Amino acid sequence: MDNLTDIGVIKDILSRHGFSFSKALGQNFLVNPTVCPRIAELGGAEKGVGAIEIGTGVGVLTHELAKRADKVVAIEIDSRLIPVLKETLGEHNNVTIINDDVMKLDLHKVIKEHFQGMDVVLCANLPYYITSPIIMMLLESRLPLKSITVMVQKEAGTRLCAEMGTREAGAVTAAVRYYSEPELLFNVSRGSFMPSPNVDSCVIKLNVHKDGGFKAADEEFFFKTVRGAFSQRRKNLLNSLSSSMGIEKAKVTEAVAAADISPNARPEQLSMEDFLRLAESLKQKM
Ligand code: SAM
């Protein structure tokens, strides 16, 4: 259906199916007609490409993806929306709906089963209660995705797209940059949704590193170091690392010096290369 951003049409369909919005599932549906076509286009949904969507709602973005990509697999946790989607997406024979929690699904298997030999992109208007866990799961499981184009809360988007070495950087910034090159595509006002949330949003695109990107010798320890460094932002690096990782301050001091980092540095001043060297030298002190 083409008019899935029309509030009257949405209300009619949802009331016929006895549907009421769930705040807990982050159900804010897009009613601004310009947003989904832009997400689909900028997100790389096109001929020869397979698209995955997380959280269909009434299928407004699914419809735009299905018009452009060869195949779409859309994952929706709320079983009440499945009969709605049968109605709204009935015209498309290239859409598969999976009624499941994306955090519990084996996405490697999904990609193998549905997108053999195709480039795959992921596009979504993410449920806000679980934005970072979903993004981290997608990146950490090293899914064979070309890009991840998602709507997130504006503040989250700023952090996710921050440059390393700037005030906005946090542990999630380092994680995103480890796997991808992020870009901020455009902002979306709160009035573009029904019901309207209390915050504005933005659409970001994570271009997944083709060659796998940075490679820490021990990835788990690398991320532990990053999280430890950012765990107490008001403390300097030595104190944060020492208290959060349970390593004596003298040993942390030696490791920081061996990594050629100033003992007074704050975590947000460090580059990715600094963190990689720091994790290496800290590990040797364990
Ligand atoms: N794509 C639609 C749109 O733009 O109007 C809906 C977006 S709404 C912000 C988020 C959607 O994600 C809801 O339909 C919600 O039911 C679904 N959702 C929430 N948690 C989920 C999960 N863990 N796995 C899959 N879908 C989920």
Side-chain angles (χ1 to χ4, degrees):
M1 272 172 75
D2 255 333
N3 47 0
L4 285 173
T5 50
D6 183 317
I7 295 180
V9 171
I10 303 175
K11 281 189 173 160
D12 171 59
I13 298 173
L14 293 182
S15 80
R16 274 194 287 108
H17 288 273
F19 179 89
S20 54
F21 288 91
S22 158
K23 213 172 173 182
L25 289 177
Q27 290 177 341
N28 301 96
F29 296 169
L30 270 163
V31 291
N32 176 336
T34 65
V35 177
C36 289
R38 287 180 84 192
I39 297 180
E41 261 157 44
L42 297 171
E46 58 195 28
K47 268 207 138 340
V49 166
I52 301 182
E53 185 193 3
I54 299 168
T56 59
V58 295
V60 62
L61 175 59
T62 329
H63 175 63
E64 297 300 330
L65 295 172
K67 284 200 289 189
R68 294 167 174 82
D70 279 8
K71 278 178 96 176
V72 179
V73 171
I75 302 150
E76 172 56 57
I77 197 172
D78 190 341
S79 57
R80 298 173 308 156
L81 287 167
I82 306 306
V84 174
L85 294 166
K86 286 217 166 81
E87 183 176 335
T88 58
L89 299 173
E91 78 207 67
H92 298 290
N93 57 12
N94 59 343
V95 177
T96 304
I97 306 286
I98 300 179
N99 180 203
D100 210 338
D101 178 346
V102 70
M103 297 304 283
K104 296 190 178 144
L105 203 58
D106 181 347
L107 286 172
H108 279 283
K109 199 167 150 214
V110 169
I111 291 174
K112 230 183 204 155
E113 274 176 16
H114 294 271
F115 301 120
Q116 199 68 258
M118 297 168 90
D119 275 349
V120 186
V121 299
L122 186 141
C123 297
N125 171 13
L126 287 179
Y128 290 160
Y129 76 98
I130 197 176
T131 300
S132 287
I134 290 179
I135 292 176
M136 291 323 301
M137 175 276 288
L138 295 173
L139 292 170
E140 282 171 6
S141 46
R142 290 202 184 269
L143 293 166
L145 296 172
K146 213 173 154 199
S147 59
I148 298 169
T149 304
V150 283
M151 171 106 64
V152 298
Q153 285 191 4
K154 212 165 169 187
E155 299 74 50
T158 306
R159 229 170 342 101
L160 289 161
C161 294
E163 297 278 354
M164 295 292 289
T166 65
R167 278 170 78 86
E168 289 77 28
V172 76
T173 313
V176 163
R177 297 234 166 223
Y178 186 81
Y179 297 107
S180 70
E181 182 66 36
E183 53 178 319
L184 180 63
L185 294 182
F186 58 94
N187 294 324
V188 179
S189 69
R190 62 195 76 186
S192 297
F193 301 87
M194 180 178 78
S196 174
N198 295 328
V199 288
D200 292 320
S201 299
C202 64
V203 177
I204 64 168
K205 182 173 185 181
L206 310 180
N207 299 289
V208 179
H209 293 311
K210 282 196 192 77
D211 54 0
F214 295 98
K215 197 83 198 89
D218 180 339
E219 272 182 5
E220 205 182 325
F221 191 79
F222 168 76
F223 284 115
K224 200 171 162 195
T225 304
V226 171
R227 280 194 301 272
F230 281 106
S231 62
Q232 288 148 307
R233 291 185 76 114
R234 274 197 233 119
K235 290 190 180 173
N236 72 16
L237 196 60
L238 297 181
N239 292 328
S240 303
L241 285 171
S242 167
S243 65
S244 64
M245 296 180 77
I247 310 173
E248 282 167 41
K249 200 167 163 194
K251 284 189 175 175
V252 176
T253 308
E254 284 172 29
V256 167
D260 208 14
I261 294 167
S262 158
N264 301 317
R266 293 191 172 275
E268 61 268 26
Q269 295 171 316
L270 268 54
S271 66
M272 187 67 87
E273 289 75 13
D274 290 333
F275 272 116
L276 288 163
R277 287 198 314 281
L278 178 60
E280 276 292 292
S281 64
L282 258 183
K283 191 152 186 232
Q284 283 165 23
K285 301 286 172 199
M286 298 292 282

